[in-house]
Amino acid sequence: MSTDTLIADRIEIADLFTRLARLLDEKRWEDAGTVYTDDVTVHSPRGGELHGIDKVIGFLRQAEVEGQHTQHTSTDLLVDVDGDRAAASANSFVYHYRDGQAPHFTGGLRQYTTAVRTPAGWRFREMRITPAWTREH
């Protein structure tokens, strides 16, 4: 694999974390296919183990809280590309707030993922979300 291809792959995989954060913050559930494969598995403390993009979307819709918004930020990304698969991880901070108010709840998460190259670009095939800490304000 050329260095240029490896760099491009790492950037595209890092962008998946940003696109996922924006999708979650903007509640654009119909765009889940731009970050997840159809057969994705997501392990999270709130949703348990979800298999398939439809289950993930259903959980996200059901978990919405009226009047509450989120802001997700990702940092400390590590990406290890191996052909058409990659192991990628990031730390994520999630701020829960209501319009015009300071956050009432924040949390730090670790996301461990497997990404795969698809005809439409890189997508997460598996994601394990592990809480590191939470704080109620």
Side-chain angles (χ1 to χ4, degrees):
M1 180 179 299
S2 75
T3 301
D4 288 346
T5 301
L6 179 60
I7 291 169
D9 287 343
R10 290 175 58 111
I11 290 169
E12 187 175 344
I13 294 165
D15 282 354
L16 280 176
F17 288 97
T18 301
R19 290 200 334 260
L20 175 60
R22 295 274 175 88
L23 178 153
L24 294 171
D25 292 343
E26 296 168 5
K27 300 177 183 176
R28 290 183 291 106
W29 315 135
E30 69 280 0
D31 292 339
T34 66
V35 294
Y36 294 123
T37 61
D38 287 342
D39 63 346
V40 66
T41 299
V42 175
H43 311 265
S44 81
R46 288 181 52 211
E49 189 167 301
L50 304 167
H51 297 284
I53 197 164
D54 291 337
K55 294 283 186 187
V56 172
I57 292 169
F59 171 75
L60 292 171
R61 283 193 169 122
Q62 168 263 315
E64 281 186 59
V65 176
E66 189 174 333
Q68 182 172 280
H69 306 285
T70 58
Q71 183 179 27
H72 291 73
T73 60
S74 298
T75 185
D76 301 331
L77 279 73
L78 291 174
V79 178
D80 183 20
V81 178
D82 184 12
D84 289 339
R85 293 179 61 87
S89 63
N91 288 322
S92 181
F93 301 100
V94 184
Y95 304 89
H96 297 259
Y97 66 96
R98 291 179 179 82
D99 284 337
Q101 298 179 14
H104 61 274
F105 183 82
T106 56
L109 310 171
R110 291 197 172 90
Q111 298 170 314
Y112 302 95
T113 70
T114 299
V116 294
R117 188 188 317 270
T118 73
W122 286 92
R123 299 292 186 266
F124 292 129
R125 175 165 283 153
E126 183 172 9
M127 177 172 279
R128 185 171 301 277
I129 301 165
T130 305
W133 56 268
T134 59
R135 179 176 176 209
E136 291 191 43
H137 303 272

